[in-house]
Amino acid sequence: MSDIKETPYFETSWQAPSNIALVKYWGKKEGIQIPANPSVSLTLSEAHTKARLSAYEGEGDIDLFFEGQKMPSFLPKIKKFFGFVEQHLPWLKDFHFKLETSNSFPHSAGIASSASSMAAMALCLVDLEEKVIGKKREDFFERASFFARLGSGSACRSLFAHAASWGGALAPKAYSHHSFIDESATAIKIHERFENMHDSIFVVSKREKKVSSRAGHGLMDNNPYKEARFRHALENWNYCLEWLESGQWNLLGSLVEEEALTLHAMMMASRPGYLLMEPETITMIHRLREFRARTETEIYFTLDAGPNLHLLYPHDQREKSWEFIQECVAEFKGDAFVIDDQVGLGPVKGCTL
Ligand code: DP6
């Protein structure tokens, strides 16, 4: 922006967390990020994005700063996102924006930042919407979830405390004991044992992904196993909601591992197929399963679209789990590190960058 000294019409800031899917969103239907199957995630806390949006009157552009630096390479994605939101908030084009963001985790840590960043920006935009229309929106977080989805599907699950479910609008009655929609996510009830669940993110590789999530979703269209996967995900989603509520971690943990490996199986079976796991990923899976069988510690893993493991365990399993994780870090001799995260309370309004 040429002159950012003028007073903004409106300014707001939000911190939004990342989330980790237990049942995976993988594949899209017609539309903008309409999921082919429902998904469920835990809301994290340590891995988050902060965003400050300043809106100036007068048509203009977006000035983007990431961690204090102008970041032109991020602009196309942000402009595309604002373009989608503009279809619902046509007055967006009457503003010039300054957008400042920062992440709590290193950008190069191999941890996807699109969920937390799209969620933080979506919250700022709903805040601006309230100012423009001059009244509160009762559906503030659902609205933010709807906008966040337009930026990145998984982002719509980052707006709620503890856990969220997204999709399943057309699920047969027998499956859905809640009424969910495809356009935004909803908070779900979980057992208190899961409210302070740990997610120790075991980073084995910081390398850039070979295939983006967006391209990976697209490859599901011609995947020979897609129908079986979508049916399978629907069943897992239903069990996941049930076990999250009743607190059955061992059952749920096994399902979560199955979901992670199925996600990667889908990638391998795509045309062309590809592999995002690294040798260290497989080593860790074997180590974890051996440790779990030997010590009966209730620790399970999941993976997102990358080689890093999310090690999940309830707080009452912390001591043994943490000791195991430290041993593994030592064994990987400096090639691995841990982002020690846990389930959190969702977005926070007002933050300093
Ligand atoms: C494997 O939300 O990143 O993490 O909607 O194209 O932005 P787009 O994809 P994205 O996909 C996330 C895929 C996943 C599973 C999940 O989070 O459910």
Side-chain angles (χ1 to χ4, degrees):
M1 160 171 238
S2 50
D3 180 15
I4 53 168
K5 280 178 236 104
E6 66 185 272
T7 316
Y9 162 80
F10 184 70
E11 196 168 73
T12 184
S13 62
W14 279 89
Q15 175 181 309
S18 187
N19 68 77
I20 180 66
L22 303 179
V23 173
K24 307 292 180 181
Y25 147 57
W26 201 242
K28 302 182 193 188
K29 293 195 274 207
E30 285 281 299
I32 306 169
Q33 268 82 257
I34 297 296
N37 63 263
S39 57
V40 181
S41 60
L42 294 176
T43 305
L44 299 178
S45 56
E46 295 305 317
H48 59 248
T49 298
K50 290 174 177 180
R52 179 163 55 228
L53 183 75
S54 312
Y56 298 85
E57 273 162 313
E59 275 180 47
D61 214 341
I62 304 172
D63 288 314
L64 179 68
F65 296 85
F66 177 68
E67 290 169 5
Q69 306 285 318
K70 277 230 170 203
M71 207 48 101
S73 61
F74 288 5
L75 255 183
K77 203 171 172 191
I78 307 280
K79 283 193 175 164
K80 195 169 167 197
F81 169 55
F82 272 60
F84 284 143
V85 178
E86 202 178 288
Q87 292 172 15
H88 302 272
L89 306 177
W91 41 258
L92 268 193
K93 60 181 178 316
D94 302 328
F95 288 104
H96 187 134
F97 293 106
K98 180 182 177 194
L99 181 60
E100 298 156 277
T101 71
S102 69
N103 288 342
S104 62
F105 46 94
H107 176 57
S108 58
I111 304 296
S113 62
S114 60
S116 53
S117 58
M118 292 298 168
M121 286 188 278
L123 286 157
C124 292
L125 289 172
V126 184
D127 234 353
L128 173 63
E129 182 183 18
E130 283 192 339
K131 163 82 177 170
V132 169
I133 63 175
K135 59 173 195 246
K136 293 264 164 242
R137 287 202 65 110
E138 295 305 321
D139 61 347
F140 191 95
F141 291 96
E142 283 74 20
R143 181 78 166 163
S145 174
F146 177 92
F147 288 154
R149 187 202 96 236
L150 301 175
S152 179
S154 56
C156 77
R157 299 184 311 236
S158 272
L159 280 304
F160 309 96
H162 302 136
S165 178
W166 167 44
L170 296 177
K173 273 260 173 313
Y175 282 118
S176 51
H177 32 260
H178 304 258
S179 51
F180 292 114
I181 58 171
D182 287 343
E183 284 75 18
S184 57
T186 335
I188 52 169
K189 263 232 299 283
I190 61 169
H191 192 272
E192 59 182 4
R193 192 168 183 220
F194 299 138
E195 287 180 3
N196 50 10
M197 189 87 165
H198 290 267
D199 178 3
S200 300
I201 310 169
F202 197 89
V203 181
V204 298
S205 170
K206 297 192 253 174
R207 279 183 288 265
E208 181 107 2
K209 263 190 260 180
K210 283 169 273 189
V211 181
S212 70
S213 287
R214 194 138 301 186
H217 284 290
L219 286 169
M220 277 304 276
D221 292 344
N222 293 318
N223 190 305
Y225 300 103
K226 71 173 179 182
E227 295 306 337
R229 163 59 193 158
F230 298 149
R231 267 201 315 276
H232 172 239
L234 201 60
E235 276 171 23
N236 279 351
W237 170 68
N238 198 48
Y239 283 124
C240 182
L241 290 175
E242 195 179 313
W243 293 337
L244 266 177
E245 206 173 325
S246 59
Q248 281 156 289
W249 176 227
N250 282 328
L251 283 175
L252 182 58
S254 304
L255 179 145
V256 164
E257 292 194 352
E258 179 187 299
E259 274 290 312
L261 295 178
T262 307
L263 167 72
H264 284 257
M266 288 302 112
M267 294 171 189
M268 290 184 238
S270 293
R271 291 173 170 159
Y274 62 105
L275 191 56
L276 294 184
M277 287 189 272
E278 298 285 349
E280 297 85 346
T281 315
I282 308 288
T283 303
M284 264 307 283
I285 292 175
H286 287 303
R287 286 277 280 115
L288 179 89
R289 288 184 162 176
E290 184 278 322
F291 170 74
R292 188 169 65 223
R294 181 165 45 82
T295 64
E296 293 181 2
T297 308
E298 296 171 35
I299 178 170
Y300 293 85
F301 72 88
T302 189
L303 304 161
D304 58 17
N308 303 319
L309 290 103
H310 289 251
L311 304 174
L312 302 169
Y313 49 94
H315 189 65
D316 52 50
Q317 305 291 305
R318 170 72 167 176
E319 212 175 301
K320 283 197 284 177
S321 300
W322 190 244
E323 203 177 300
F324 163 73
I325 292 165
Q326 291 310 313
E327 271 169 29
C328 294
V329 171
E331 209 172 284
F332 280 73
K333 295 190 181 66
D335 291 330
F337 66 95
V338 176
I339 298 176
D340 194 23
D341 213 332
Q342 61 200 49
V343 166
L345 294 175
V348 180
K349 187 180 162 111
C351 55
T352 47
L353 276 95

